[in-house]
Amino acid sequence: MKMNHEAHIYYEEEEQTFHLQNDFFSYIFKVDFNGKLIQLYYGKKVTHRSSFNYLLEQSSRPMSPVLSEQHPFYSYDNLKQELPEYGRSDFRKAGIKVLQENGSEITDLVYQSHRIFKGKNILEGLPASYAENINECISLAITLKDELLQLEVILNYTVFADHSALARSTCIVNYGQEELLLTRLMSLNLDLPDKEYDWMQLSGAWGRERHFVTKVLDYGVVEISSNRGHSSHNHNPFVTLKRKTTTEFQGEAIGAMFVYSGNFLIQAEVDAYDVTRLQMGMNPESFSWLLEPGQSFQSPEVLLVYSNKGLNQMSQTYHNLLNSRVVRGKWRHKPRPIVLNNWEATYFDFNEEKLLSIVEKGKKAGVELFVLDDGWFGQRNNDYTGLGDWVENKEKLPEGLTGLAKKVNDLGMAFGLWIEPEMINKDSDLYRNHPEWLLHTPGRKASPGRQQYVLNFANEEVVTYLFNKISNLLSSANITYIKWDMNRSISEAFDGNRSSKQQGEVHHRYILGVYQLYEQLTNMFPEVLFESCASGGGRFDAGMLYYAPQAWTSDNSDAIDRLSIQYGTSLAYPLSSIGAHVSIVPNHQVNRLTSLNTRGNVAYFGAFGYELDLNRLSMEEFTEVKKQIAFVKEYRALLQYGNFYRLASPFEGNIISWMVVSQDKKQTIVGYYKKLNEVNVSFKRVRLLGLEPTIKYQLKGTSQKFHGDELMNIGLLTTDASSGQFQPSLGFDESVDFDSRIFILEAVE
Ligand code: DGJ
């Protein structure tokens, strides 16, 4: 593989300073005379030098305990740290807390040794970024030790050469004689020297996931978290700290992404001296881990990205990194099949004949993959029954999945299937046979959600059972796609197979069980494309993308709401991962009427598909669907993998725009959308990005040509009838609410 850039880790022996550097950023810290790791700098690349000691800022502050009587001015309360310890002289949020047999949580972790090596280690049992070639990144593992406890902590860092990205995780090993309870372990601690940041989170709820929410950092703590057992619709495990002057295309932004799908905590604490401490890790409120003598624990990974060219560059770094070094397997970098999913077309009410009529019509339109959603198994005719019974319902599918898949294949389409392996209805054979597998706390009522309960994925036996069930299913029919759903948050987490001291492990063990099942299934069926889903976007995170390269973005399929959801999601996640389908109108979630054109124009920028019965469309609409599909087939590599630019935000105005540009800059597609129609408004232009200034681009469907620099500096004219410019000759039809246009520009000279 050709590397375009280099990554370095310098170690200066005399000053015990580490400088992690690539062409984009520098991350510098040192071992102090007391063996603690002190952060010195994170930001744009700086030239290496033998000493950065001048950055070790310290001062005598009233009230702060100091290191010793001999060092009256040296206090960790005022130093920036890699791994702040609880209860010593740093009173800010701790990076680690370890409860000991005597009840103390005080540790003293001191530098022992380090190792610098090419490439990157895998994290056993956990999703993480990876290297394919040892020259594409360089890693550092630093060992710290608490002598009293004989506890070792290994801090892992990897710098990627071609990405402005640093991976961090932590491993803990108990070499001592006593049982230790790990009660807090942040995968990231980043102490930044000032507080001039805005914090951006991606938040919402079911049906309105990942909207931009921005807060000004100030003294005290800002945080988001999940205690729901999954990363959640409410808050995504991702945060951005940006300068107040940072925009999409200029200024500094630091992104932190958790490669994890369970409970998380992200905090930014600004202390009295304006230091911003950013932390990311498993949520201590629902996590603890018993470390018996000889045992170890590995934290999930954080991907830290630095951009000095605004939010958009940060997003592009994540898109490239996730597409190339988190997503794995056959579907990495592959244009995604055009899907036809029957959920909104039929819900539970279908039989083979009905499905095949939908498939037939889909085939005529050019769809490539039919996905059979919920309701094909057990007595699953509504929400109350069947989850857990992964056996075809022969009343609906007389020839089973094998027969149906064959018929779908014979009609010329691939066949995909919905499953929800983590869940169980009480009205199911699985529950009747294994009531003990239902996740519950003894003596307490288990709370249902969507009439269903959760299987104890912390129990190996349950995961093995499901592996056998699902692998048999996948072997029984020609299934090339799986939509793995998860439709409720997890409550009353408890594992009867574990001791009282281990109950804090259940949430994490649950997610490890999910990862294990994904790992086993993806290994056994490497051809299958997995799409993750949790009532839409309730588990849209980098952990899932490691196994399932795309995710169902939201159960809200309304095109106008999707603008905000997809725009927000793109801050962190690539378009290849954003499942986006055209559905029927009136829309089933918001009852809105939008044109088929606009529904397509929004869904194009993602993993495209349909969520409706094509038989219910008029001839005219069906012809339009055929055109949409032909368009996606022609441009999907660009739409899913081109460089993506957000141009106008749905969170700020009535006009929304975004674009993708091919790697060679010869093609670009601009999506331009309007929420409400306005009357007698200004002329409109949108300035494009990422083009080649001197190339001439032709606007497809017209004879108009523009240089790249015109399009980027003057802008693309997007004026329409709403500004009194009713110009059918330019393709500007009479304007209505929820209008949209796609502009395709291709290099001609
Ligand atoms: C929630 C998903 O997000 C939907 O797409 C659909 O698969 C339903 N579950 C089925 O129960």
Side-chain angles (χ1 to χ4, degrees):
M1 197 182 110
K2 189 180 161 299
M3 308 300 304
N4 298 319
H5 300 279
E6 283 184 13
H8 305 277
I9 295 182
Y10 300 99
Y11 176 62
E12 293 296 338
E13 183 83 53
E14 205 166 312
E15 308 287 358
Q16 287 196 292
T17 300
F18 298 94
H19 183 175
L20 287 59
Q21 185 205 56
N22 66 11
D23 288 350
F24 313 101
F25 72 85
S26 285
Y27 187 101
I28 306 169
F29 60 95
K30 72 168 275 125
V31 184
D32 74 0
F33 62 94
N34 187 37
K36 303 291 178 187
L37 301 181
I38 308 299
Q39 283 179 356
L40 300 178
Y41 174 72
Y42 176 49
K44 191 167 162 45
K45 174 190 176 178
V46 294
T47 308
H48 183 65
R49 55 187 273 175
S50 55
S51 171
F52 284 98
N53 270 358
Y54 72 96
L55 287 171
L56 197 123
E57 294 164 300
Q58 41 165 325
S59 172
S60 141
R61 306 276 193 195
M63 301 303 288
S64 291
V66 293
L67 178 61
S68 67
E69 288 171 22
Q70 288 71 43
H71 298 98
F73 302 120
Y74 202 80
S75 170
Y76 291 103
D77 209 9
N78 310 306
L79 286 161
K80 302 171 193 74
Q81 301 201 62
E82 282 298 298
L83 184 62
E85 292 166 89
Y86 172 76
R88 305 303 300 268
S89 52
D90 184 339
F91 294 95
R92 294 163 291 183
K93 300 286 176 195
I96 184 168
K97 270 173 101 171
V98 182
L99 181 63
Q100 297 138 51
E101 282 178 359
N102 66 4
S104 164
E105 289 182 285
I106 307 294
T107 55
D108 188 10
L109 291 159
V110 170
Y111 170 84
Q112 297 298 299
S113 61
H114 72 268
R115 197 164 73 85
I116 294 172
F117 55 97
K118 285 178 166 187
K120 182 174 191 289
N121 289 339
I122 58 157
L123 304 190
E124 203 61 55
L126 281 168
S129 59
Y130 59 88
E132 284 197 330
N133 172 320
I134 57 161
N135 293 318
E136 66 187 49
C137 55
I138 183 159
S139 297
L140 165 67
I142 298 187
T143 302
L144 309 172
K145 188 169 185 181
D146 182 311
E147 278 299 334
L148 188 66
L149 299 175
Q150 290 295 301
L151 177 73
E152 278 193 9
V153 172
I154 298 123
L155 301 178
N156 297 305
Y157 303 80
T158 296
V159 187
F160 290 89
D162 280 352
H163 307 272
S164 184
L166 174 71
R168 278 194 62 170
S169 72
T170 305
C171 179
I172 309 238
V173 194
N174 180 4
Y175 288 111
Q177 298 303 313
E178 63 172 289
E179 268 184 6
L180 301 172
L181 192 69
L182 187 59
T183 55
R184 183 177 176 103
L185 181 63
M186 291 294 113
S187 298
L188 170 73
N189 188 85
L190 181 65
D191 286 352
L192 297 160
D194 65 78
K195 69 174 179 65
E196 301 311 311
Y197 290 100
D198 284 349
W199 150 294
M200 276 181 80
Q201 64 195 51
L202 296 176
S203 292
W206 175 89
R208 51 181 170 86
E209 297 93 335
R210 289 174 297 287
H211 287 206
F212 285 8
V213 177
T214 305
K215 296 169 185 167
V216 176
L217 285 192
D218 212 332
Y219 302 113
V221 179
V222 172
E223 69 173 51
I224 53 169
S225 65
S226 171
N227 258 327
R228 311 179 71 96
H230 54 116
S231 47
S232 91
H233 306 80
N234 308 55
H235 302 296
N236 196 261
F238 175 75
V239 76
T240 307
L241 294 187
K242 69 173 188 67
R243 294 298 187 183
K244 291 175 194 314
T245 50
T246 296
T247 65
E248 277 287 356
F249 305 110
Q250 64 182 35
E252 280 191 309
I254 295 171
M257 175 180 283
F258 208 18
V259 190
Y260 189 59
S261 314
N263 294 339
F264 70 89
L265 174 68
I266 312 176
Q267 287 180 322
E269 176 178 15
V270 178
D271 75 10
Y273 305 105
D274 296 354
V275 171
T276 299
R277 169 166 290 178
L278 178 65
Q279 294 195 333
M280 179 177 267
M282 287 172 296
N283 193 344
E285 204 175 335
S286 46
F287 167 80
S288 63
W289 197 272
L290 183 66
L291 272 179
E292 291 188 26
Q295 289 185 338
S296 64
F297 180 82
Q298 170 66 52
S299 84
E301 179 171 284
V302 167
L303 294 171
L304 206 56
V305 161
Y306 173 78
S307 160
N308 68 332
K309 292 204 180 70
L311 296 172
N312 212 89
Q313 191 192 58
M314 175 193 78
S315 301
Q316 287 190 3
T317 303
Y318 276 115
H319 295 179
N320 292 335
L321 185 67
L322 292 170
N323 272 333
S324 61
R325 289 297 175 263
V326 172
V327 167
R328 302 173 299 165
K330 173 183 163 179
W331 290 97
R332 187 178 70 172
H333 283 138
K334 277 264 165 60
R336 302 296 158 73
I338 297 170
V339 166
L340 175 56
N341 179 302
N342 75 308
W343 179 240
E344 288 197 19
T346 65
Y347 296 103
F348 295 111
D349 180 20
F350 60 82
N351 57 25
E352 192 186 84
E353 196 188 336
K354 194 172 189 179
L355 295 178
L356 289 174
S357 79
I358 294 175
V359 173
E360 252 176 90
K361 194 75 175 175
K363 177 62 194 166
K364 284 190 191 132
V367 175
E368 296 160 322
L369 170 71
F370 171 69
V371 178
L372 175 55
D373 211 282
D374 196 356
W376 57 265
F377 51 92
Q379 289 308 307
R380 183 77 171 167
N381 295 315
N382 52 47
D383 287 357
Y384 289 83
T385 118
L387 283 177
D389 295 342
W390 301 111
V391 179
E392 304 95 323
N393 178 325
K394 287 279 171 76
E395 280 162 40
K396 290 182 181 174
L397 308 176
E399 293 175 43
L401 288 175
T402 320
L404 178 65
K406 182 159 184 331
K407 287 178 191 169
V408 172
N409 291 165
D410 289 347
L411 285 169
M413 257 205 248
F415 179 69
L417 191 66
W418 176 98
I419 54 172
E420 193 179 2
E422 298 154 65
M423 297 292 156
I424 187 166
N425 285 119
K426 284 201 172 167
D427 185 5
S428 67
D429 289 340
L430 184 61
Y431 181 71
R432 285 181 278 276
N433 293 334
H434 286 288
E436 76 285 4
W437 284 357
L438 187 143
L439 197 69
H440 71 288
T441 302
R444 310 274 176 207
K445 183 177 88 48
S447 310
R450 200 200 182 192
Q451 347 296 344
Q452 67 195 47
Y453 298 83
V454 184
L455 282 169
N456 181 7
F457 259 57
N459 179 352
E460 186 85 32
E461 207 188 340
V462 173
V463 177
T464 305
Y465 169 86
L466 281 154
F467 171 65
N468 290 332
K469 272 276 156 203
I470 295 175
S471 56
N472 284 342
L473 262 185
L474 280 163
S475 308
S476 73
N478 189 18
I479 299 168
T480 53
Y481 162 105
I482 285 284
K483 175 178 174 186
W484 178 324
D485 205 348
M486 189 272 187
N487 282 304
R488 55 156 295 173
S489 299
I490 298 170
S491 56
E492 292 93 23
F494 187 93
D495 182 2
N497 299 319
R498 299 196 186 271
S499 70
S500 58
K501 289 179 194 160
Q502 290 180 297
Q503 293 308 320
E505 301 176 10
V506 177
H507 273 292
H508 183 56
R509 285 191 184 276
Y510 178 98
I511 284 294
L512 292 179
V514 170
Y515 290 153
Q516 184 188 327
L517 185 55
Y518 258 117
E519 184 69 23
Q520 289 173 334
L521 290 172
T522 48
N523 279 339
M524 189 160 174
F525 302 96
E527 304 288 310
V528 172
L529 171 61
F530 281 80
E531 174 156 337
S532 75
C533 175
S535 279
R539 209 157 57 181
F540 202 129
D541 55 66
M544 280 291 117
L545 292 182
Y546 184 72
Y547 306 98
Q550 59 190 60
W552 182 227
T553 312
S554 177
D555 272 349
N556 186 346
S557 61
D558 170 67
I560 300 307
D561 282 0
R562 273 298 188 114
L563 286 169
S564 304
I565 296 168
Q566 293 176 206
Y567 195 97
T569 304
S570 78
L571 188 69
Y573 304 103
L575 268 56
S576 61
S577 68
I578 296 179
H581 296 175
V582 171
S583 62
I584 204 83
V585 289
N587 172 267
H588 287 191
Q589 293 78 39
V590 298
N591 291 323
R592 188 176 283 132
L593 289 167
T594 52
S595 67
L596 184 54
N597 179 50
T598 287
R599 281 175 274 153
N601 289 349
V602 176
Y604 289 153
F605 293 82
F608 182 82
Y610 291 87
E611 190 90 9
L612 48 77
D613 183 350
L614 293 169
N615 292 301
R616 292 195 208 155
L617 300 185
S618 67
M619 282 287 283
E620 214 181 8
E621 286 174 319
F622 188 67
T623 308
E624 194 174 339
V625 163
K626 283 204 225 166
K627 283 194 193 140
Q628 290 181 332
I629 290 175
F631 171 78
V632 172
K633 286 182 179 167
E634 185 173 352
Y635 290 108
R636 66 182 139 185
L638 170 59
L639 289 162
Q640 291 163 5
Y641 294 101
N643 288 326
F644 182 67
Y645 296 87
R646 289 177 295 272
L647 304 176
S649 168
F651 305 112
E652 285 167 17
N654 195 39
I655 297 293
I656 295 96
S657 185
W658 54 42
M659 66 185 281
V660 283
V661 184
S662 62
Q663 301 302 336
D664 65 7
K665 302 188 176 185
K666 291 197 169 151
Q667 270 188 329
T668 176
I669 301 181
V670 181
Y672 185 80
Y673 314 87
K674 176 177 54 190
K675 288 184 194 165
L676 294 183
N677 210 9
E678 297 168 302
V679 72
N680 198 21
V681 289
S682 57
F683 297 102
K684 298 231 178 333
R685 296 173 188 183
V686 55
R687 284 159 73 164
L688 307 190
L689 267 301
L691 304 178
E692 198 56 56
T694 53
I695 286 186
K696 225 176 207 178
Y697 297 87
Q698 180 161 359
L699 183 58
K700 199 164 179 186
T702 75
S703 55
Q704 299 176 60
K705 293 179 192 151
F706 311 97
H707 285 114
D709 57 7
E710 288 174 80
L711 292 164
M712 292 193 289
N713 297 310
I714 299 172
L716 175 70
L717 268 55
T718 56
T719 299
D720 62 21
S722 61
S723 56
Q725 305 297 301
F726 180 40
Q727 290 174 319
S729 61
L730 293 180
F732 299 157
D733 292 335
E734 210 164 349
S735 176
V736 293
D737 285 348
F738 318 130
D739 243 358
S740 66
R741 290 196 65 192
I742 293 292
F743 298 88
I744 304 169
L745 289 142
E746 286 170 331
V748 280
E749 290 159 30

